[in-house]
Amino acid sequence: MLAGEYGAGVAKSLELLVALGEVFGAEKLVPVEGAHVSGVSYKNLGDAGLEWLEDQARLGARAKVRATLNPAGMDMTRWREMDVPEKFADGQTRIIRAFEALGIEPTCTCTPYLVGHVPRFGAQVAWAESSAICYSNSVLGARTNRESGPTTIASAITGLTPLYEYRLDENRLPGKLVEIDAKLKDPLDYSALGYVTGKLVGTTVPYFRGLGKPSLESLKTLGAALATSGGVALWHGEGVTPEAEKVKPHVGEVEKVTIEEKDLREAREKFTCEVADPVTCIGCPHCSLHEVGEVAGLCKGRELAKRLWVFTSRGVYAEAERKGYVGQIEGAGGKVFVDSCMVVAPLKEMGWKEVALNSFKSAQYSANMGLKTRMGTARELVKEALK
Ligand code: F3S
């Protein structure tokens, strides 16, 4: 491949992976079963990124393993309803075309595992998107490092990745025991737990005790928050995740920290300011069918006084539409968008100033963008948005 026998695009991709492997002292390259590519929004890629992608496609590179795509900066069909500027839409459309030319599926979701891209336990994969990395490593037990857009594209094209870090058993052991002394009822509580823990552990692998019985929605938002405030790529939960029993730390083996109710409350307060007219955004990570259904149940037959935007994947949207959920939300005046989210969309250009959110990941990013935030459970926020 490096000699160019499979084309210049493949050679370039492998060069990148070999260099990465050398930096991290990897002994060899191993095959990957799939890739999930991030860095899709025109907001992040800009024209330079777009041209690089188009060049790769021109060089004849094509994905040789299944590869899916993270959210773009807009709903690819309803972007005008999002007030996305025309120039942005042009750039974004070209980006998606370039990805398609590379053989990467334009799923445009951060929850590929909800739309059929579900790696096997123990499989080596190359995933980017921090929340999906956490889900893949921890909940599914597949193995990925914290990959970037370019490395996932390179792995998709070559079908390879360097073997280091979270791909090896010894680096999947916990470094901190996190005892939970708080009631976790709603996905928002798990999101708060992830935010508080991430701050405490940084990139160390946490081992949770006392997680209760988290729903799929709680698991996805927990990982998203862990990766936001810290650099967590893998966590274990006693009685919850598939590797927890095998890696259970013995007494005194790792440092213990305890997280209490007040820690979660303080985290929530940090992102709760006075807001006058926020856009309520539900769907970070992208909504499951259950979450769209919950919002729809609250909106059914009612009218919204404030803007309510729900973000999900195309796969979940199709099912939600079939079940009548989309009609119930949009009938109340809300919007259900696909392909995008409140973080990768060009919110400044769209004129947004305030948001109401049920996820610490989107709260942190929104605050970084200078927006005022308010936090609540999906139920609380939708009720506030209703007339
Ligand atoms: Fe997904 Fe956007 Fe949140 S990519 S995890 S919805 S910030």
Side-chain angles (χ1 to χ4, degrees), residues 71 110 129 131 283-286 341 343 361:
C110 50
E129 165 49 42
S131 71
C284 173
H286 271 175
C341 80
V343 169
K361 175 171 180 177

PDB file of all heavy atoms in Angstrom, residues 71 110 129 131 283-286 341 343 361, ligand 1:
ATOM      1  N   PRO A  71     -22.684  13.911  12.618  1.00  0.00           N
ATOM      2  CA  PRO A  71     -23.562  14.995  12.160  1.00  0.00           C
ATOM      3  C   PRO A  71     -22.854  16.105  11.357  1.00  0.00           C
ATOM      4  O   PRO A  71     -21.699  16.427  11.604  1.00  0.00           O
ATOM      5  CB  PRO A  71     -24.118  15.563  13.465  1.00  0.00           C
ATOM      6  CG  PRO A  71     -24.093  14.419  14.399  1.00  0.00           C
ATOM      7  CD  PRO A  71     -22.850  13.656  14.048  1.00  0.00           C
ATOM      8  N   CYS A 110     -24.396  10.986  15.477  1.00  0.00           N
ATOM      9  CA  CYS A 110     -23.397  10.618  16.490  1.00  0.00           C
ATOM     10  C   CYS A 110     -23.831   9.360  17.227  1.00  0.00           C
ATOM     11  O   CYS A 110     -23.171   8.935  18.171  1.00  0.00           O
ATOM     12  CB  CYS A 110     -23.210  11.778  17.468  1.00  0.00           C
ATOM     13  SG  CYS A 110     -24.768  12.411  18.103  1.00  0.00           S
ATOM     14  N   GLU A 129     -15.672  10.941  17.285  1.00  0.00           N
ATOM     15  CA  GLU A 129     -16.865  11.437  17.999  1.00  0.00           C
ATOM     16  C   GLU A 129     -16.819  10.881  19.422  1.00  0.00           C
ATOM     17  O   GLU A 129     -17.122   9.706  19.666  1.00  0.00           O
ATOM     18  CB  GLU A 129     -18.167  11.066  17.273  1.00  0.00           C
ATOM     19  CG  GLU A 129     -19.460  11.211  18.091  1.00  0.00           C
ATOM     20  CD  GLU A 129     -19.572  12.552  18.804  1.00  0.00           C
ATOM     21  OE1 GLU A 129     -19.240  13.580  18.212  1.00  0.00           O
ATOM     22  OE2 GLU A 129     -19.978  12.572  19.979  1.00  0.00           O
ATOM     23  N   SER A 131     -18.535  10.949  22.153  1.00  0.00           N
ATOM     24  CA  SER A 131     -19.634  10.242  22.830  1.00  0.00           C
ATOM     25  C   SER A 131     -19.790   8.836  22.259  1.00  0.00           C
ATOM     26  O   SER A 131     -20.051   7.874  22.981  1.00  0.00           O
ATOM     27  CB  SER A 131     -20.951  11.022  22.682  1.00  0.00           C
ATOM     28  OG  SER A 131     -21.432  10.959  21.349  1.00  0.00           O
ATOM     29  N   GLY A 283     -31.614  16.276  22.211  1.00  0.00           N
ATOM     30  CA  GLY A 283     -30.990  15.378  21.231  1.00  0.00           C
ATOM     31  C   GLY A 283     -29.485  15.476  21.173  1.00  0.00           C
ATOM     32  O   GLY A 283     -28.910  15.529  20.093  1.00  0.00           O
ATOM     33  N   CYS A 284     -28.834  15.478  22.334  1.00  0.00           N
ATOM     34  CA  CYS A 284     -27.375  15.407  22.402  1.00  0.00           C
ATOM     35  C   CYS A 284     -27.014  14.345  23.418  1.00  0.00           C
ATOM     36  O   CYS A 284     -27.225  14.566  24.598  1.00  0.00           O
ATOM     37  CB  CYS A 284     -26.765  16.743  22.796  1.00  0.00           C
ATOM     38  SG  CYS A 284     -24.972  16.641  23.086  1.00  0.00           S
ATOM     39  N   PRO A 285     -26.473  13.211  22.993  1.00  0.00           N
ATOM     40  CA  PRO A 285     -26.378  12.698  21.626  1.00  0.00           C
ATOM     41  C   PRO A 285     -27.762  12.553  20.965  1.00  0.00           C
ATOM     42  O   PRO A 285     -28.780  12.586  21.648  1.00  0.00           O
ATOM     43  CB  PRO A 285     -25.728  11.324  21.807  1.00  0.00           C
ATOM     44  CG  PRO A 285     -25.015  11.388  23.133  1.00  0.00           C
ATOM     45  CD  PRO A 285     -25.834  12.306  23.974  1.00  0.00           C
ATOM     46  N   HIS A 286     -27.747  12.358  19.663  1.00  0.00           N
ATOM     47  CA  HIS A 286     -28.990  12.257  18.889  1.00  0.00           C
ATOM     48  C   HIS A 286     -30.037  11.386  19.597  1.00  0.00           C
ATOM     49  O   HIS A 286     -29.722  10.330  20.134  1.00  0.00           O
ATOM     50  CB  HIS A 286     -28.685  11.644  17.503  1.00  0.00           C
ATOM     51  CG  HIS A 286     -28.331  12.688  16.484  1.00  0.00           C
ATOM     52  ND1 HIS A 286     -27.920  12.370  15.214  1.00  0.00           N
ATOM     53  CD2 HIS A 286     -28.363  14.051  16.546  1.00  0.00           C
ATOM     54  CE1 HIS A 286     -27.693  13.484  14.531  1.00  0.00           C
ATOM     55  NE2 HIS A 286     -27.954  14.508  15.322  1.00  0.00           N
ATOM     56  N   CYS A 341     -26.907  18.993  14.678  1.00  0.00           N
ATOM     57  CA  CYS A 341     -27.204  19.214  16.098  1.00  0.00           C
ATOM     58  C   CYS A 341     -26.906  20.661  16.466  1.00  0.00           C
ATOM     59  O   CYS A 341     -26.360  21.423  15.671  1.00  0.00           O
ATOM     60  CB  CYS A 341     -26.410  18.257  16.980  1.00  0.00           C
ATOM     61  SG  CYS A 341     -24.703  18.737  17.269  1.00  0.00           S
ATOM     62  N   VAL A 343     -24.734  21.841  18.289  1.00  0.00           N
ATOM     63  CA  VAL A 343     -23.333  22.192  18.493  1.00  0.00           C
ATOM     64  C   VAL A 343     -22.598  22.372  17.164  1.00  0.00           C
ATOM     65  O   VAL A 343     -21.762  23.265  17.022  1.00  0.00           O
ATOM     66  CB  VAL A 343     -22.637  21.122  19.377  1.00  0.00           C
ATOM     67  CG1 VAL A 343     -21.123  21.297  19.385  1.00  0.00           C
ATOM     68  CG2 VAL A 343     -23.179  21.205  20.800  1.00  0.00           C
ATOM     69  N   LYS A 361     -23.064  17.826  27.667  1.00  0.00           N
ATOM     70  CA  LYS A 361     -22.149  18.017  26.543  1.00  0.00           C
ATOM     71  C   LYS A 361     -22.571  19.260  25.757  1.00  0.00           C
ATOM     72  O   LYS A 361     -21.771  20.161  25.518  1.00  0.00           O
ATOM     73  CB  LYS A 361     -22.126  16.796  25.622  1.00  0.00           C
ATOM     74  CG  LYS A 361     -21.266  17.053  24.394  1.00  0.00           C
ATOM     75  CD  LYS A 361     -20.999  15.845  23.530  1.00  0.00           C
ATOM     76  CE  LYS A 361     -20.122  16.259  22.344  1.00  0.00           C
ATOM     77  NZ  LYS A 361     -19.735  15.165  21.482  1.00  0.00           N
TER      78      LYS A 361
HETATM   79 FE1  F3S B   1     -23.956  14.443  18.971  1.00  0.00          FE
HETATM   80 FE2  F3S B   1     -23.847  16.993  18.509  1.00  0.00          FE
HETATM   81 FE3  F3S B   1     -24.071  16.108  20.972  1.00  0.00          FE
HETATM   82  S1  F3S B   1     -22.618  15.460  17.547  1.00  0.00           S
HETATM   83  S2  F3S B   1     -23.050  14.146  20.976  1.00  0.00           S
HETATM   84  S3  F3S B   1     -25.576  15.881  19.325  1.00  0.00           S
HETATM   85  S4  F3S B   1     -22.764  17.748  20.310  1.00  0.00           S
END
